[in-house]
Amino acid sequence: QAIAWDSGRFEEVSDSAGVKYVATDRWGDRYAIWVRLRDRETGATIFAINTHGPVSGCAGSVEQMMLAAVTENIRDGDMLIYTGDFNCWSPLLDSNFQLVAPGGIDMIFTNKGRAAASWRSVGGSPSDHPLVRATFAASEPVADESTAEPTDQPSAEPAEPTLEPTDAPPTSLPTETETDQPSTDPTPLPVPTLEPTATAVEADPTVKPTIAPPASLEALKASIDELKSLIGDRCSA
């Protein structure tokens, strides 16, 4: 995991970067890394932090360590940008920070009471995680509530959206006559019986053609034609 920034717009505040241990899982140790940046245009400072939570979740001491990585190092007036694959939903982080990009277990938090101008989550193939992005307005010093004493009281889960009624007609659902789905009636359909419509005629093998010896070339041609006709009749029979 790493943090990158536009060096033309931001500069690192000296001696303001670090790493904090978060937890250990079967893949090894997990950390939170952070850096304080100064906006060259506005002079505001940004506390950027990125973490990767353990696959075992973030209950108990794990979310406490994720919270402490911020509260122990952020300064008054810093704008918080907290990104990471948290591998969990943390009520403790949600109660102390503002969730602005809820991308599943991949999220972005900022200072409590602050909002992002926009955010989105798109496919991150070949990774099995999405690419989560948030856009903020030009940074400026903020009244940072993240430096206040953290609370152990989790916030309520995000409320379900309320759908307002509209005057638009309801969308009709397909009826049985409008679908190509097969019928679920277990009664088998009758199988029609096909009656033969014609009887094959077999040739009598005892009947043999009698051809008289030809008396001339013309008679020979006539005999050949007669033989062809007899052979054709037998084949068609």
Side-chain angles (χ1 to χ4, degrees), residues 151-212:
T151 175
D152 293 330
Q153 296 298 322
S155 65
E157 291 290 333
E160 294 292 332
T162 302
L163 299 179
E164 296 294 336
T166 65
D167 296 330
T171 303
S172 60
L173 297 177
T175 63
E176 293 183 0
T177 58
E178 297 174 332
T179 176
D180 294 328
Q181 297 297 323
S183 170
T184 56
D185 186 357
T187 304
L189 297 176
V191 180
T193 303
L194 301 178
E195 296 295 337
T197 58
T199 303
V201 178
E202 296 183 358
D204 187 354
T206 62
V207 178
K208 297 181 179 181
T210 303
I211 304 174

Coordinates of all heavy atoms in Angstrom, one line a residue, residues 151-212:
T151 N -15.1 9.0 20.4 CA -16.1 8.4 21.2 C -16.2 6.9 20.8 O -15.9 6.5 19.7 CB -17.5 9.0 20.8 OG1 -18.5 8.3 21.5 CG2 -17.8 9.0 19.3
D152 N -16.6 6.1 21.8 CA -16.7 4.7 21.6 C -18.1 4.3 21.2 O -18.5 3.1 21.1 CB -16.3 3.9 22.9 CG -14.8 4.0 23.1 OD1 -14.1 4.2 22.2 OD2 -14.4 3.9 24.3
Q153 N -19.0 5.3 21.1 CA -20.4 5.0 20.8 C -20.5 4.9 19.3 O -20.3 5.9 18.6 CB -21.3 6.1 21.3 CG -21.3 6.2 22.8 CD -21.9 5.0 23.5 OE1 -22.8 4.4 22.9 NE2 -21.3 4.6 24.6
P154 N -20.9 3.7 18.8 CA -21.0 3.6 17.3 C -22.3 4.3 16.8 O -23.3 4.5 17.6 CB -21.2 2.1 17.1 CG -21.8 1.6 18.4 CD -21.1 2.5 19.5
S155 N -22.2 4.9 15.7 CA -23.3 5.5 15.1 C -24.3 4.5 14.5 O -23.9 3.4 14.3 CB -22.9 6.5 14.0 OG -22.3 5.8 12.9
A156 N -25.5 5.0 14.3 CA -26.5 4.1 13.8 C -26.1 3.7 12.3 O -25.4 4.5 11.6 CB -27.9 4.7 13.8
E157 N -26.6 2.6 11.9 CA -26.3 2.2 10.5 C -27.0 3.2 9.6 O -28.0 3.8 9.9 CB -26.9 0.8 10.3 CG -26.2 -0.4 11.0 CD -24.8 -0.6 10.4 OE1 -24.6 -0.3 9.2 OE2 -23.9 -1.0 11.1
P158 N -26.4 3.4 8.4 CA -27.0 4.3 7.4 C -28.5 4.0 7.2 O -28.8 2.8 7.0 CB -26.2 4.1 6.2 CG -24.9 3.5 6.7 CD -25.2 2.7 7.9
A159 N -29.3 5.0 7.2 CA -30.7 4.8 7.0 C -31.0 4.4 5.6 O -30.4 4.7 4.7 CB -31.5 6.1 7.4
E160 N -32.1 3.5 5.5 CA -32.5 3.1 4.2 C -33.2 4.3 3.5 O -33.9 5.1 4.1 CB -33.6 2.0 4.3 CG -33.0 0.7 4.9 CD -32.0 0.1 3.9 OE1 -32.2 0.3 2.7 OE2 -31.1 -0.6 4.4
P161 N -32.9 4.4 2.2 CA -33.5 5.6 1.4 C -35.0 5.4 1.4 O -35.6 4.3 1.3 CB -32.9 5.4 0.0 CG -32.5 4.0 -0.1 CD -32.1 3.6 1.3
T162 N -35.7 6.6 1.5 CA -37.1 6.6 1.4 C -37.6 7.0 0.0 O -37.1 8.0 -0.6 CB -37.7 7.7 2.4 OG1 -37.3 7.3 3.7 CG2 -39.2 7.7 2.3
L163 N -38.4 6.2 -0.6 CA -38.8 6.4 -2.0 C -40.1 7.2 -1.9 O -41.1 6.9 -1.3 CB -39.1 5.1 -2.7 CG -37.9 4.1 -2.8 CD1 -38.3 2.8 -3.5 CD2 -36.8 4.8 -3.6
E164 N -40.1 8.4 -2.6 CA -41.2 9.3 -2.7 C -42.2 8.8 -3.8 O -41.8 8.4 -4.8 CB -40.8 10.7 -3.0 CG -39.9 11.3 -1.9 CD -40.7 11.5 -0.6 OE1 -42.0 11.6 -0.7 OE2 -40.1 11.5 0.5
P165 N -43.5 8.9 -3.5 CA -44.4 8.4 -4.6 C -44.4 9.4 -5.8 O -44.1 10.6 -5.6 CB -45.8 8.5 -3.9 CG -45.6 9.5 -2.7 CD -44.2 9.3 -2.3
T166 N -44.6 8.9 -6.9 CA -44.7 9.7 -8.1 C -46.0 9.5 -8.8 O -46.8 8.6 -8.5 CB -43.5 9.3 -9.1 OG1 -43.7 7.9 -9.5 CG2 -42.2 9.3 -8.4
D167 N -46.3 10.4 -9.8 CA -47.5 10.3 -10.6 C -47.3 9.4 -11.8 O -48.2 9.2 -12.6 CB -48.0 11.7 -11.0 CG -48.3 12.5 -9.8 OD1 -48.8 11.9 -8.8 OD2 -48.2 13.8 -9.9
A168 N -46.1 8.9 -12.0 CA -45.9 8.1 -13.2 C -46.6 6.8 -13.1 O -46.7 6.2 -12.0 CB -44.4 7.8 -13.4
P169 N -47.2 6.3 -14.2 CA -48.0 5.0 -14.1 C -47.0 3.9 -13.8 O -45.8 3.9 -14.2 CB -48.5 4.9 -15.5 CG -47.6 5.7 -16.4 CD -47.2 6.9 -15.5
P170 N -47.5 2.9 -13.0 CA -46.6 1.8 -12.7 C -46.2 1.0 -14.0 O -47.0 0.9 -14.9 CB -47.5 0.9 -11.8 CG -48.9 1.3 -12.1 CD -48.9 2.7 -12.5
T171 N -45.1 0.4 -13.9 CA -44.6 -0.4 -15.0 C -45.3 -1.7 -15.0 O -45.3 -2.4 -13.9 CB -43.1 -0.6 -14.9 OG1 -42.5 0.7 -14.9 CG2 -42.6 -1.4 -16.1
S172 N -45.9 -2.1 -16.1 CA -46.7 -3.4 -16.1 C -45.7 -4.5 -16.1 O -44.7 -4.5 -16.7 CB -47.6 -3.4 -17.3 OG -46.8 -3.3 -18.5
L173 N -46.1 -5.5 -15.3 CA -45.3 -6.8 -15.3 C -45.8 -7.7 -16.4 O -46.9 -7.7 -16.7 CB -45.4 -7.4 -13.9 CG -44.8 -6.6 -12.8 CD1 -45.1 -7.3 -11.4 CD2 -43.4 -6.3 -12.9
P174 N -44.9 -8.5 -16.9 CA -45.3 -9.4 -18.0 C -46.3 -10.5 -17.5 O -46.1 -11.0 -16.4 CB -44.0 -10.0 -18.5 CG -43.1 -9.9 -17.3 CD -43.5 -8.6 -16.7
T175 N -47.4 -10.7 -18.2 CA -48.3 -11.8 -17.9 C -47.8 -13.1 -18.4 O -46.8 -13.2 -19.1 CB -49.7 -11.5 -18.4 OG1 -49.6 -11.4 -19.9 CG2 -50.2 -10.1 -17.9
E176 N -48.6 -14.2 -18.2 CA -48.1 -15.5 -18.6 C -48.1 -15.5 -20.1 O -47.3 -16.3 -20.7 CB -49.1 -16.6 -18.1 CG -49.0 -16.7 -16.6 CD -49.8 -17.8 -16.1 OE1 -50.5 -18.5 -16.9 OE2 -49.8 -18.1 -14.8
T177 N -48.9 -14.7 -20.8 CA -49.0 -14.8 -22.3 C -47.9 -13.9 -22.8 O -47.6 -14.0 -24.0 CB -50.3 -14.2 -22.8 OG1 -50.5 -12.9 -22.3 CG2 -51.5 -15.1 -22.3
E178 N -47.1 -13.1 -22.0 CA -46.1 -12.2 -22.5 C -44.7 -12.8 -22.2 O -43.7 -12.1 -22.4 CB -46.2 -10.9 -21.8 CG -47.5 -10.2 -22.1 CD -47.6 -8.9 -21.4 OE1 -47.1 -8.8 -20.3 OE2 -48.3 -8.0 -21.9
T179 N -44.6 -14.0 -21.7 CA -43.3 -14.5 -21.4 C -43.0 -15.8 -22.2 O -44.0 -16.5 -22.5 CB -43.2 -14.8 -19.9 OG1 -41.9 -15.4 -19.6 CG2 -44.3 -15.8 -19.4
D180 N -41.8 -16.1 -22.4 CA -41.4 -17.3 -23.1 C -41.0 -18.4 -22.2 O -40.4 -19.4 -22.6 CB -40.2 -17.0 -24.0 CG -40.6 -16.0 -25.1 OD1 -41.7 -16.1 -25.6 OD2 -39.7 -15.2 -25.6
Q181 N -41.2 -18.2 -20.9 CA -40.9 -19.2 -19.9 C -41.8 -20.4 -20.1 O -43.0 -20.3 -20.3 CB -41.0 -18.7 -18.5 CG -40.1 -17.5 -18.1 CD -38.7 -17.9 -18.2 OE1 -38.3 -19.1 -17.9 NE2 -37.8 -17.1 -18.8
P182 N -41.2 -21.6 -20.0 CA -42.0 -22.8 -20.1 C -43.1 -23.0 -19.0 O -42.9 -22.5 -17.9 CB -41.0 -24.0 -20.0 CG -39.9 -23.4 -19.3 CD -39.8 -21.9 -19.6
S183 N -44.2 -23.6 -19.4 CA -45.3 -23.8 -18.4 C -44.8 -24.7 -17.3 O -44.0 -25.7 -17.5 CB -46.5 -24.5 -19.1 OG -47.4 -24.9 -18.2
T184 N -45.3 -24.5 -16.1 CA -45.0 -25.3 -14.9 C -46.0 -26.4 -14.7 O -46.0 -27.1 -13.7 CB -44.8 -24.4 -13.7 OG1 -46.1 -23.7 -13.5 CG2 -43.7 -23.4 -13.9
D185 N -47.0 -26.6 -15.6 CA -48.1 -27.6 -15.4 C -47.4 -28.9 -15.6 O -46.9 -29.3 -16.6 CB -49.1 -27.4 -16.5 CG -50.3 -28.3 -16.3 OD1 -50.2 -29.1 -15.3 OD2 -51.3 -28.2 -17.1
P186 N -47.5 -29.8 -14.5 CA -46.9 -31.1 -14.6 C -47.6 -32.1 -15.5 O -47.1 -33.2 -15.7 CB -46.9 -31.5 -13.1 CG -48.1 -30.9 -12.5 CD -48.2 -29.6 -13.2
T187 N -48.9 -31.8 -15.9 CA -49.6 -32.8 -16.7 C -49.0 -32.9 -18.1 O -48.8 -32.0 -18.8 CB -51.1 -32.3 -16.9 OG1 -51.6 -32.1 -15.6 CG2 -51.9 -33.3 -17.6
P188 N -48.6 -34.2 -18.5 CA -47.9 -34.3 -19.8 C -48.9 -34.2 -20.9 O -50.1 -34.5 -20.8 CB -47.4 -35.8 -19.7 CG -48.3 -36.5 -18.7 CD -48.7 -35.4 -17.7
L189 N -48.5 -33.6 -22.0 CA -49.3 -33.5 -23.2 C -49.4 -34.8 -23.9 O -48.5 -35.6 -24.0 CB -48.7 -32.4 -24.1 CG -48.6 -31.0 -23.5 CD1 -47.9 -30.1 -24.5 CD2 -50.0 -30.5 -23.2
P190 N -50.6 -35.1 -24.5 CA -50.7 -36.4 -25.3 C -49.8 -36.4 -26.5 O -49.6 -35.4 -27.1 CB -52.2 -36.4 -25.7 CG -52.6 -34.9 -25.7 CD -51.8 -34.3 -24.6
V191 N -49.3 -37.6 -26.8 CA -48.4 -37.8 -27.9 C -49.3 -38.3 -29.1 O -49.9 -39.3 -29.0 CB -47.3 -38.8 -27.6 CG1 -46.4 -39.0 -28.8 CG2 -46.5 -38.3 -26.4
P192 N -49.3 -37.5 -30.2 CA -50.1 -38.0 -31.3 C -49.6 -39.2 -32.0 O -48.4 -39.4 -32.0 CB -50.1 -36.8 -32.3 CG -48.8 -36.1 -31.9 CD -48.6 -36.3 -30.5
T193 N -50.5 -40.1 -32.5 CA -50.1 -41.3 -33.2 C -50.2 -41.1 -34.7 O -51.3 -40.6 -35.2 CB -51.1 -42.5 -32.8 OG1 -51.0 -42.6 -31.3 CG2 -50.7 -43.8 -33.4
L194 N -49.2 -41.3 -35.3 CA -49.1 -41.1 -36.8 C -49.5 -42.4 -37.5 O -48.9 -43.4 -37.3 CB -47.7 -40.6 -37.2 CG -47.2 -39.3 -36.5 CD1 -45.8 -39.0 -37.0 CD2 -48.2 -38.2 -36.9
E195 N -50.5 -42.3 -38.4 CA -50.9 -43.5 -39.2 C -50.2 -43.5 -40.5 O -50.0 -42.4 -41.1 CB -52.4 -43.4 -39.4 CG -53.3 -43.6 -38.2 CD -53.1 -44.9 -37.5 OE1 -52.7 -45.9 -38.2 OE2 -53.4 -45.0 -36.3
P196 N -49.8 -44.6 -41.0 CA -49.1 -44.6 -42.3 C -50.0 -44.1 -43.4 O -51.2 -44.4 -43.4 CB -48.7 -46.1 -42.5 CG -49.6 -46.9 -41.7 CD -49.9 -46.0 -40.5
T197 N -49.5 -43.3 -44.3 CA -50.4 -42.8 -45.4 C -50.1 -43.5 -46.7 O -50.8 -43.2 -47.7 CB -50.0 -41.3 -45.6 OG1 -48.6 -41.2 -45.9 CG2 -50.3 -40.5 -44.3
A198 N -49.1 -44.4 -46.8 CA -48.9 -45.1 -48.1 C -48.3 -46.4 -47.8 O -47.7 -46.6 -46.7 CB -47.9 -44.3 -49.0
T199 N -48.5 -47.4 -48.7 CA -48.0 -48.7 -48.5 C -47.0 -49.0 -49.6 O -47.3 -48.8 -50.8 CB -49.1 -49.8 -48.6 OG1 -50.1 -49.5 -47.6 CG2 -48.6 -51.2 -48.4
A200 N -45.8 -49.4 -49.2 CA -44.8 -49.7 -50.2 C -45.1 -50.9 -51.0 O -45.7 -51.9 -50.5 CB -43.4 -49.9 -49.5
V201 N -44.8 -50.9 -52.3 CA -45.1 -52.0 -53.2 C -43.8 -52.7 -53.5 O -42.8 -52.0 -53.9 CB -45.7 -51.5 -54.5 CG1 -46.0 -52.6 -55.4 CG2 -47.1 -50.8 -54.2
E202 N -43.7 -53.9 -53.2 CA -42.5 -54.7 -53.4 C -42.6 -55.4 -54.8 O -43.7 -55.9 -55.2 CB -42.3 -55.8 -52.3 CG -42.1 -55.2 -50.9 CD -41.8 -56.2 -49.9 OE1 -41.8 -57.4 -50.3 OE2 -41.6 -55.9 -48.7
A203 N -41.5 -55.4 -55.5 CA -41.5 -56.1 -56.8 C -41.4 -57.6 -56.6 O -40.8 -58.1 -55.7 CB -40.2 -55.6 -57.6
D204 N -42.1 -58.3 -57.6 CA -42.1 -59.8 -57.5 C -40.8 -60.3 -58.1 O -40.5 -60.0 -59.3 CB -43.3 -60.3 -58.4 CG -43.4 -61.8 -58.2 OD1 -42.5 -62.4 -57.6 OD2 -44.4 -62.3 -58.7
P205 N -39.9 -60.9 -57.3 CA -38.6 -61.3 -57.8 C -38.7 -62.5 -58.8 O -37.8 -62.8 -59.5 CB -37.9 -61.8 -56.5 CG -38.9 -62.1 -55.6 CD -40.1 -61.2 -55.9
T206 N -39.9 -63.1 -58.9 CA -40.0 -64.3 -59.8 C -40.3 -63.8 -61.2 O -40.2 -64.6 -62.2 CB -41.2 -65.2 -59.4 OG1 -42.4 -64.4 -59.4 CG2 -40.9 -65.7 -57.9
V207 N -40.7 -62.5 -61.4 CA -41.0 -62.0 -62.7 C -39.7 -61.5 -63.3 O -39.1 -60.6 -62.7 CB -42.1 -60.9 -62.7 CG1 -42.3 -60.4 -64.1 CG2 -43.3 -61.5 -62.0
K208 N -39.3 -62.0 -64.4 CA -38.1 -61.6 -65.1 C -38.4 -61.1 -66.5 O -39.3 -61.6 -67.1 CB -37.1 -62.7 -65.2 CG -36.6 -63.3 -63.8 CD -35.6 -64.4 -64.0 CE -35.2 -64.9 -62.6 NZ -34.1 -66.0 -62.8
P209 N -37.8 -60.0 -66.9 CA -38.1 -59.5 -68.2 C -37.6 -60.4 -69.3 O -36.6 -61.1 -69.2 CB -37.3 -58.2 -68.2 CG -36.1 -58.4 -67.3 CD -36.7 -59.3 -66.2
T210 N -38.4 -60.5 -70.3 CA -38.1 -61.4 -71.5 C -37.8 -60.4 -72.7 O -38.6 -59.6 -73.1 CB -39.2 -62.3 -71.9 OG1 -39.5 -63.1 -70.7 CG2 -38.9 -63.2 -73.1
I211 N -36.6 -60.5 -73.2 CA -36.1 -59.7 -74.3 C -35.7 -60.5 -75.4 O -34.9 -61.4 -75.3 CB -35.0 -58.8 -73.8 CG1 -35.3 -57.9 -72.6 CG2 -34.5 -57.9 -75.0 CD1 -34.2 -57.1 -72.0
A212 N -36.4 -60.3 -76.6 CA -36.0 -61.1 -77.8 C -34.7 -60.6 -78.4 O -34.4 -59.5 -78.2 CB -37.2 -61.0 -78.8

